[in-house]
Amino acid sequence: MIHIGKIIEEEMRRQERTPAWLARKINCARPNVYYIFRQDSLNTDLLLRISQALSHDFFQYYSKEV
């Protein structure tokens, strides 16, 4: 089972980015970023914005499951 929130958090930290930075990039409040980290699934629009902000294809984790 994919826990996309954890994967996003790991990638953000790998890039040495902060939750505040990600919040600015995806146009949301910082507490919402922590909420995202706890989610095991996200809507595709939000996942796309996060993928663009971090220059990382988070959709690939779902493609591997197919």
Side-chain angles (χ1 to χ4, degrees):
M1 179 80 180
I2 297 168
H3 193 291
I4 197 66
K6 287 182 182 179
I7 295 170
I8 291 167
E9 182 178 17
E10 290 169 3
E11 179 61 23
M12 184 197 72
R13 295 195 188 285
R14 187 191 69 74
Q15 292 185 21
E16 299 180 352
R17 304 290 188 178
T18 65
W21 177 89
L22 183 57
R24 283 191 306 275
K25 287 293 193 175
I26 64 172
N27 196 29
C28 75
R30 189 172 54 107
N32 291 348
V33 172
Y34 293 104
Y35 176 78
I36 289 168
F37 295 159
R38 294 191 307 269
Q39 302 308 302
D40 59 2
S41 65
L42 296 173
N43 74 49
T44 56
D45 179 58
L46 179 56
L47 191 58
L48 177 60
R49 289 187 300 165
I50 294 168
S51 293
Q52 291 170 333
L54 291 170
S55 298
H56 185 89
D57 180 12
F58 290 101
F59 293 96
Q60 70 178 313
Y61 301 100
Y62 293 102
S63 297
K64 291 177 184 176
E65 291 289 313
V66 176

